[in-house]
């Protein structure tokens, strides 16, 4: 995988960042430089078969688990990176990945944690649901509405995944939104 020149290096880094490293380190400037230099980088896949958007959404789960990371500045940076990625590839949300909800969040206690056989694909919307961030869920949904009906590797739609993660909490903005657009 290509990397940027040394000008994109964060202080103390030994080598240039790849596009996937730029997005998962939440480096908006390096991500923009990458995309300006090589717009096709937005559709490059890493060793997990993930697009930069998939890799970014997957790593956001950790802020769902540790809410103290979710400052206003942190959330704004997340939105900026997603906007950048979608600007360069508006169809990125229509691409499935082998990165799965269970790879990111291992809900061992949940009965549906086993991999579902069949032709199911984890979409960006499934990964967005894992973040618990309504703004991100809406952005990803608006970029590719058909994903609302698609099943992930465990045979779950984004709405079903949200209910599994949070229960049938009517006050949950993500569940409420997904239920509204599902019908």
């Amino acid at each position: 995988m290509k990397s940027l020149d040394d000008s994109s290096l964060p202080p103390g880094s030994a080598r240039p960042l790849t596009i996937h490293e730029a997005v998962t380190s939440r480096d908006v400037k390096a991500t923009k430089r990458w995309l300006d230099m090589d717009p096709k980088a937005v559709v490059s896949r890493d060793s997990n078969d993930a697009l930069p958007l998939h890799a970014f959404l997957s790593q956001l789960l950790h802020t769902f688990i540790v809410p103290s990371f979710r400052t206003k500045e942190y959330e704004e940076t997340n939105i900026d990176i997603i906007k950048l990625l979608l600007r360069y590839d508006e169809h990125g949300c229509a691409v499935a990945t082998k990165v799965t909800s269970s790879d990111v969040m291992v809900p061992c206690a949940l009965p549906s944690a086993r991999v579902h056989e069949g032709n199911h694909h984890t979409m960006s919307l499934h990964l967005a649901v894992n973040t618990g961030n309504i703004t991100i869920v809406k952005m990803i949904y608006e970029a590719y509405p058909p994903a609302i009906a698609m099943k992930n590797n465990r045979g779950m739609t984004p709405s079903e995944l949200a209910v599994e993660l949070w229960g049938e909490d009517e006050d949950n903005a993500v569940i409420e939104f997904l239920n509204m657009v599902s019908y």
Side-chain angles (χ1 to χ4, degrees):
M1 176 167 312
K2 285 187 352 184
S3 24
L4 286 177
D5 61 28
D6 290 341
S7 66
S8 68
L9 288 173
S13 290
R15 63 175 174 72
L17 298 173
T18 66
I19 182 68
H20 290 80
E21 291 167 336
V23 298
T24 58
S25 65
R26 301 177 56 259
D27 188 332
V28 177
K29 289 180 182 178
T31 300
K32 180 156 179 21
R33 279 195 304 271
W34 246 112
L35 296 171
D36 288 344
M37 179 184 79
D38 182 7
K40 292 182 181 180
V42 76
V43 295
S44 65
R45 294 192 180 255
D46 66 10
S47 60
N48 292 319
D49 194 43
L51 297 176
L53 179 61
H54 299 143
F56 184 70
L57 291 171
S58 295
Q59 69 91 30
L60 286 183
L61 172 69
H62 303 292
T63 63
F64 172 71
I65 294 171
V66 184
S68 61
F69 288 151
R70 296 174 86 162
T71 64
K72 182 177 180 184
E73 180 184 354
Y74 188 90
E75 295 294 340
E76 288 171 355
T77 300
N78 295 342
I79 300 303
D80 290 345
I81 289 177
I82 292 170
K83 283 180 181 177
L84 262 174
L85 293 170
L86 292 176
R87 184 177 325 135
Y88 281 84
D89 183 21
E90 63 190 47
H91 304 293
C93 291
V95 178
T97 181
K98 291 179 187 172
V99 173
T100 65
S101 302
S102 57
D103 289 339
V104 180
M105 178 180 189
V106 185
C108 298
L110 301 174
S112 60
R114 65 189 174 280
V115 173
H116 206 275
E117 294 298 321
N119 193 20
H120 301 243
H121 306 285
T122 298
M123 304 299 292
S124 296
L125 187 56
H126 291 99
L127 298 173
V129 165
N130 277 303
T131 71
N133 183 307
I134 187 62
T135 304
I136 292 173
V137 169
K138 285 180 176 181
M139 287 174 67
I140 299 300
Y141 169 78
E142 289 167 5
Y144 190 65
I148 194 70
M150 295 183 172
K151 295 186 177 193
N152 66 5
N153 67 313
R154 293 168 38 215
M156 301 176 83
T157 65
S159 298
E160 293 165 339
L161 178 62
V163 169
E164 181 181 54
L165 291 171
W166 300 296
E168 306 241 2
D169 183 0
E170 292 179 16
D171 293 332
N172 183 292
V174 172
I175 292 174
E176 186 177 311
F177 173 75
L178 294 172
N179 286 336
M180 180 184 72
V181 297
S182 293
Y183 300 104

